Amino acid sequence: MKKKVLVAMSGGVDSSVAAAILKEEGYEVYGATMQIWQTETEDELIREKSCCSLTAVDDARRVAHILDIPYYVFNMKDDFKKEVINYFVDEYIKGRTPNPCIMCNRKIKFELFLKKAMVLGMDYIATGHYAIIEYDKSLCRYLLKRSKAREKDQTYVLYNMTQEMLSKTLFPLGRFSKDEVRKLAEKFKLPVARKPDSQEICFIPDNDYGSFIEKETGIKDEGIYVDTEGNILGKSKAYYNYTIGQRKGLGISTGKRMYVVDIKPEENKVVLGEEDKIFSDGLIAYDLNFIPFDKLESELEVTAKIRYTAKEAKARIIPAQNNKVLVKFYEKQRAITPGQSVVFYSGDIVVGGGIIEKAL
């Protein structure tokens, strides 16, 4: 009997090719798009840019028709609002910089979507992520490994996957490059073969985080810039418009290159300092997930990424109190940002990761 797989189809080339590959491999394939937009106005705003917009639904439905597979649209507006948008706003209000894509993967795609798939009688779910899942018999555990195409590897946003999630997920694109995926789309005669990738956060199409937060909270305020000694430098926008390490868009002249080195939400202050102030050699992380093992029991040598676009750096991870981890880098890192995730690797294997609580 064929194994059933429900493919999360965003209307883009990656998820479309994932569905086509799985059908060619002999799976009984179904497609589904997660409806996450919140209002009719947002329907129009994100029509062209979002991974889950109306255009995305149209494109996914066309691909499903060409592949001759059943297709669903799941209404996940309330779940997305609760788990992703509210989290995003709350983190900025706390003076932190969230990663909504990681939270969406964790709460929506690999929790709620997986649950819906199991209710429908599926054996697996699949997505168009560039990553590899393998079962290690010696460890009796599933491992998450980097994509063969390093430049497209997306394991950073997948570190939260549990053994249950990994055991029921397929990543068909892990062995391909982006160019190869587009060629496969042409081979399968898919209309999205040359569709550009979505770049922006799906619920903020104009990339204006501050205005979005003000709209969601009703808060609209000004703040002040201070230096590392607490001296007032001038007026700023509200603190939630800034992130650690930011230099551009500050709108203030001090005669020096200044960077955001700290954010004090309780005082609505943005602390500026010179470049040397944004480097740190360590951090504390919490809300941890490990993949080759359940818990970090002793110090471990790894490489670590402190943001999606960051280069990996050699580090030691050390168990700390209250189920946290101390990360000590061999070389200082630029702009370690509370709220972002730190992800640990051992070669191509994802060891795990957590949320950055503070830089040290």
Side-chain angles (χ1 to χ4, degrees):
M1 183 180 293
K2 288 184 177 181
K3 293 287 188 180
K4 295 181 178 180
V5 56
L6 183 66
V7 182
M9 298 181 69
S10 66
V13 64
D14 293 332
S15 58
S16 299
V17 170
I21 289 171
L22 291 169
K23 183 171 183 182
E24 189 174 64
E25 289 178 350
Y27 289 91
E28 186 175 335
V29 178
Y30 299 74
T33 300
M34 292 169 276
Q35 178 188 341
I36 61 170
W37 56 89
Q38 301 296 305
T39 68
E40 293 299 322
T41 302
E42 285 176 12
D43 287 354
E44 298 303 319
L45 282 173
I46 66 178
R47 179 179 290 273
E48 298 298 332
K49 296 184 178 181
S50 168
C51 62
C52 300
S53 66
L54 290 177
T55 298
V57 171
D58 292 340
D59 287 341
R61 185 176 281 115
R62 288 165 64 205
V63 169
H65 178 73
I66 290 168
L67 296 177
D68 192 24
I69 61 173
Y71 175 72
Y72 306 95
V73 177
F74 295 153
N75 184 342
M76 302 180 91
K77 291 191 296 185
D78 293 342
D79 297 310
F80 189 79
K81 170 75 172 174
K82 175 185 174 184
E83 301 291 357
V84 180
I85 293 179
N86 289 352
Y87 146 81
F88 178 87
V89 172
D90 289 346
E91 285 291 275
Y92 268 111
I93 292 298
K94 292 174 183 175
R96 299 151 59 83
T97 303
N99 191 315
C101 294
I102 287 177
M103 190 58 67
C104 182
N105 282 329
R106 176 179 175 180
K107 294 291 187 178
I108 306 299
K109 291 178 183 172
F110 298 106
E111 281 189 19
L112 294 174
F113 188 79
L114 177 58
K115 286 179 183 177
K116 286 182 179 290
M118 295 301 105
V119 169
L120 289 171
M122 301 293 160
D123 297 291
Y124 301 102
I125 63 170
T127 71
H129 284 100
Y130 289 79
I132 294 171
I133 297 171
E134 289 181 0
Y135 185 74
D136 188 302
K137 291 182 179 178
S138 64
L139 295 174
C140 296
R141 294 180 76 92
Y142 288 88
L143 299 179
L144 178 64
K145 294 186 173 183
R146 299 179 208 264
S147 165
K148 295 293 184 185
R150 284 290 187 95
E151 72 280 0
K152 286 296 295 181
D153 177 64
Q154 292 174 297
T155 52
Y156 176 85
V157 297
L158 300 169
Y159 78 88
N160 264 314
M161 293 186 74
T162 65
Q163 288 294 301
E164 174 73 7
M165 293 170 185
L166 290 166
S167 72
K168 290 181 167 58
T169 301
L170 303 175
F171 291 142
L173 304 191
R175 61 186 185 272
F176 298 107
S177 70
K178 186 72 178 196
D179 286 344
E180 289 171 331
V181 167
R182 291 199 183 277
K183 288 177 182 176
L184 283 169
E186 291 174 347
K187 170 194 163 184
F188 292 122
K189 295 181 169 51
L190 302 181
V192 294
R194 292 295 149 189
K195 185 176 179 179
D197 295 337
S198 57
Q199 300 292 332
E200 298 169 337
I201 293 175
C202 62
F203 55 91
I204 309 181
D206 58 3
N207 228 24
D208 187 347
Y209 302 166
S211 294
F212 180 83
I213 291 165
E214 288 166 2
K215 177 184 172 185
E216 287 291 309
T217 63
I219 298 171
K220 189 167 186 178
D221 202 359
E222 288 187 337
I224 56 172
Y225 289 123
V226 298
D227 63 18
T228 53
E229 303 299 320
N231 300 307
I232 295 174
L233 300 175
K235 288 184 179 180
S236 71
K237 293 185 287 188
Y239 67 89
Y240 47 76
N241 287 277
Y242 303 90
T243 190
I244 300 297
Q246 180 178 337
R247 181 175 72 85
K248 294 182 179 180
L250 298 181
I252 187 171
S253 177
T254 64
K256 302 176 183 177
R257 281 194 168 193
M258 300 294 272
Y259 299 78
V260 176
V261 300
D262 195 9
I263 295 169
K264 297 182 180 294
E266 66 283 353
E267 303 172 57
N268 203 355
K269 289 181 179 177
V270 179
V271 184
L272 303 183
E274 294 186 62
E275 189 172 16
D276 64 306
K277 300 294 185 182
I278 62 172
F279 285 86
S280 308
D281 61 7
L283 63 86
I284 295 289
Y286 69 101
D287 195 14
L288 301 158
N289 182 64
F290 292 103
I291 295 177
F293 46 82
D294 288 329
K295 185 179 180 181
L296 182 69
E297 300 288 354
S298 59
E299 183 176 316
L300 185 66
E301 293 275 340
V302 297
T303 56
K305 288 182 72 167
I306 57 171
R307 67 181 63 84
Y308 186 76
T309 56
K311 291 182 179 179
E312 288 167 55
K314 290 183 179 180
R316 292 176 293 131
I317 55 175
I318 305 162
Q321 292 181 337
N322 301 318
N323 295 316
K324 297 177 183 178
V325 162
L326 169 64
V327 183
K328 294 291 290 181
F329 292 97
Y330 286 93
E331 295 182 2
K332 287 192 173 186
Q333 299 298 299
R334 182 188 183 90
I336 294 175
T337 308
Q340 289 287 290
S341 290
V342 56
V343 179
F344 314 125
Y345 294 86
S346 176
D348 284 336
I349 296 172
V350 179
V351 174
I355 298 174
I356 298 170
E357 180 178 76
K358 61 181 179 180
L360 299 174

